[in-house]
Amino acid sequence: MSQDATTPKDDILAGEYVLGLLSLDARRALERRMAEDRSFAELVRHWEIDLSTFNDAYDEVSPSDAVLGRIKDRLFGEQQVAKVRTGLWNSVPFWRWLSFGTSVVAASALIYASGSAFLRVHDREYVAELSAPANAVNMLATYDSGSGRMRIMPVAAGPREEKSLELWLVPGEGDPLSLGILPADTGGDLVIPADLRDRIGEGATLAVTLEPFGGSPTGRATGPIVASGTARSL
Amino acid sequence: MQSNDIEGLINRVAIGDRAAFLSLYKITSPKLMGICLRILNNRGDAEDAVQEVYVKIWQRAQTFAAGPSNPTAWLATIARNHAIDLIRARKPVSEDLEAAYDLADETMPSPEAQAGINDEGRRIDKCMAELDPIHAGAVRRAYVEGLSYLELSEQMKVPLNTVRTWLRRSLLKLRECMQR
C-alpha cells in the first residue's frame, strides 16, 4: 500500500472530510482526488473505519413504510418498453435483476441464436441490461411476460460503432469458422450460412470474440474471446 | 446488526438479489434513518435522504470490498455522506482548504496500511480519552451531527480559527495514538 504521496496535512484533510467539516465544494474536490489518488483514498478509508464507532451515537428510527415502496418503485418499477426490437441502444431501462457468469449466459444466448427460439412481440415486454464494471460485453435480456420467454443476448459495451461481437464455430481441429456478426438491433437473431448449418448440433463449440466494427478484418478471430460454450439440445 | 450477515447481504445485492436488498433494508434502514435524521433534523428530509441512500447502496454494492472493510461502516458512510452533502448544499459554508495550516510542520508517521483494522474502533475510544475533553467533544459532535467548522464555532461559542485548530490538532493526535 503506497503512502508515499501523502503528507500529514493530507491525513488531517482526510479526517476533516470524514468528520464532515468541509464545504460542499471542498468535499467534491476531495472526492475527485480520491478517484485519482489511491493513497489519499486510503487515508479517507482509514478515518471512516476509525471513526465508525461514533455511529453508535445514532439512534435507530424506522422510516415510514412508504419509503420502501418508493425505493422499490425507483429500482424495480415495471418499465414497459413499447418496442423492444428497436432503439435498445438508446434507451435501455436499468432493470437489472439477473447476474450470470458471462460464458453461461452467452452460451445460452448462442443456443437461442442458432436454434428456433422465436420471441413474439407481445404487449408487455421488458428489457434489462446486465452489466458489470470494466466488462467488454454486457448482456441484454428481453422478457416476454405473455410466453414467459426470456432471451439473453450479448452486446458490446460502449458505442456500437466501435466494436462488433462475432460468433465462431470452433471445430475440433483447424481454425474457427465465422458464423457471423451478432447484430444488436434484431433481437439476437442470426442466420447461419447454409453450408455451415450441418455443423451446428449437439456438442458444437461456439465462441464469441470482440472484433472491430463489422467483424474480423482477416476472417480469423482477432479479438479476445468474451464467451464460449458447448451447445446442448433444449 | 450482525456484521457477517450484513456483509453477505451486501454481496448478494451486488449480484442483483432483490430479496437480499429488501432484507438489508429491513435490518439496516432504522440505523441509516437515524443518521439522516440526526444530521438533517427533519423527518421528511431524512426519509427522502434514506430513499436516495438505498438507491446508492443498490448501485454501489459491487464496489463494496469484502475483507478489512466493515459492512456497517460502509453503509453508514453512504448515509452520512449523503446527508452531509444535502445540509452543506442547503447551508453553504465558505471554506478555504489551505486556511490556517499551522500543523504542517509537525511530523506524523504514515498510517499502517491494514494492521489491526478491526481493533481500531476500540482503540479510537482509548485515543479519544487522551484528548482534551472539550476537543474530543468537538470531534464527536462534528461527526455525529455533521457540523461544519462555522456551525461548531457558533454552537461552542469559540472563534472559528480556534475550533479549526482544535479539530486539526485532535485529528493529528488521534492518528498518532492509533499508530501506537
Side-chain angles (χ1 to χ4, degrees):
Chain A
M1 206 70 47
S2 66
Q3 303 289 346
D4 47 337
T6 58
T7 65
K9 194 169 111 174
D10 286 334
D11 206 357
I12 292 172
L13 198 53
E16 288 178 303
Y17 170 82
V18 173
L19 285 179
L21 291 160
L22 305 176
S23 70
L24 198 57
D25 286 347
R27 290 173 63 76
R28 289 290 98 85
L30 293 180
E31 283 158 7
R32 283 193 295 275
R33 181 169 171 197
M34 277 179 245
E36 294 162 2
D37 181 346
R38 287 190 60 188
S39 300
F40 185 72
E42 193 65 17
L43 295 178
V44 171
R45 202 179 67 86
H46 263 265
W47 282 115
E48 284 171 353
I49 293 171
D50 290 347
L51 300 177
S52 65
T53 42
F54 293 165
N55 293 332
D56 294 346
Y58 294 113
D59 296 330
E60 299 206 347
V61 182
S62 290
S64 62
D65 294 345
V67 176
L68 179 58
R70 297 206 303 261
I71 293 168
K72 278 160 66 174
D73 283 348
R74 287 265 306 271
L75 292 176
F76 315 129
E78 294 190 330
Q79 307 217 26
Q80 204 165 334
V81 179
K83 288 186 171 184
V84 169
R85 289 176 180 245
T86 58
L88 292 180
W89 284 88
N90 298 326
S91 65
V92 177
F94 205 67
W95 181 72
R96 190 177 64 174
W97 61 276
L98 282 170
S99 179
F100 290 92
T102 303
S103 61
V104 174
V105 177
S108 57
L110 299 183
I111 291 162
Y112 275 115
S114 63
S116 60
F118 177 66
L119 182 66
R120 284 176 298 153
V121 177
H122 279 253
D123 289 339
R124 294 182 72 79
E125 291 197 352
Y126 302 93
V127 59
E129 189 182 55
L130 315 178
S131 62
N135 265 13
V137 175
N138 294 338
M139 298 290 156
L140 201 61
T142 54
Y143 177 64
D144 179 337
S145 62
S147 66
R149 185 184 298 278
M150 165 113 24
R151 165 177 294 197
I152 298 175
M153 57 186 159
V155 294
R160 70 170 148 169
E161 296 76 29
E162 294 175 3
K163 296 286 179 188
S164 291
L165 292 169
E166 190 157 3
L167 175 64
W168 305 84
L169 175 66
V170 185
E173 291 179 10
D175 294 326
L177 302 166
S178 175
L179 296 175
I181 306 300
L182 292 182
D185 292 344
T186 60
D189 288 330
L190 191 62
V191 177
I192 302 302
D195 58 333
L196 294 173
R197 289 177 194 175
D198 290 347
R199 302 181 65 163
I200 300 176
E202 184 81 17
T205 297
L206 299 168
V208 175
T209 61
L210 194 64
E211 299 291 344
F213 182 67
S216 165
T218 64
R220 295 184 178 189
T222 62
I225 293 179
V226 295
S228 65
T230 303
R232 300 183 307 275
S233 55
L234 292 172
Chain B
M1 290 196 271
Q2 286 291 316
S3 224
N4 288 346
D5 297 347
I6 295 188
E7 184 170 338
L9 287 174
I10 295 172
N11 287 330
R12 280 167 58 199
V13 170
I15 58 167
D17 184 332
R18 291 187 190 189
F21 180 77
L22 298 181
S23 300
L24 184 70
Y25 180 87
K26 196 175 168 191
I27 297 169
T28 60
S29 61
K31 190 68 173 183
L32 301 196
M33 176 69 182
I35 290 172
C36 293
L37 189 56
R38 186 73 177 269
I39 293 171
L40 296 171
N41 268 316
N42 174 294
R43 191 171 170 96
D45 290 348
E47 291 193 334
D48 287 347
V50 166
Q51 184 183 327
E52 299 299 326
V53 164
Y54 278 89
V55 169
K56 286 182 180 177
I57 289 168
W58 174 259
Q59 291 166 343
R60 293 183 190 173
Q62 288 179 346
T63 68
F64 171 74
S69 150
N70 169 334
T72 54
W74 184 77
L75 294 169
T77 295
I78 293 176
R80 279 190 74 249
N81 279 338
H82 186 76
I84 290 168
D85 283 347
L86 286 177
I87 204 89
R88 287 290 167 279
R90 197 181 301 161
K91 292 191 285 181
V93 291
S94 67
E95 184 69 49
D96 178 4
L97 277 183
E98 297 297 322
Y101 260 104
D102 57 349
L103 303 169
D105 292 339
E106 299 186 35
T107 56
M108 179 168 51
S110 300
E112 300 154 287
Q114 301 291 341
I117 218 157
N118 292 325
D119 296 330
E120 287 181 0
R122 282 187 292 279
R123 267 199 280 158
I124 195 90
D125 288 341
K126 182 174 73 69
C127 294
M128 284 286 282
E130 292 183 9
L131 299 180
D132 177 303
I134 292 174
H135 300 179
V139 169
R140 190 180 286 272
R141 281 194 69 184
Y143 183 95
V144 173
E145 298 173 41
L147 299 179
S148 66
Y149 275 128
L150 185 62
E151 289 164 326
L152 266 181
S153 130
E154 287 168 358
Q155 296 196 16
M156 300 185 79
K157 297 185 171 41
V158 284
L160 182 59
N161 280 339
T162 306
V163 171
R164 206 190 297 271
T165 303
W166 284 356
L167 270 283
R168 287 178 176 167
R169 207 169 284 278
S170 297
L171 285 167
L172 192 66
K173 285 181 176 171
L174 283 174
R175 178 52 75 220
E176 282 169 350
C177 172
M178 302 289 282
Q179 305 286 311
R180 275 181 229 148

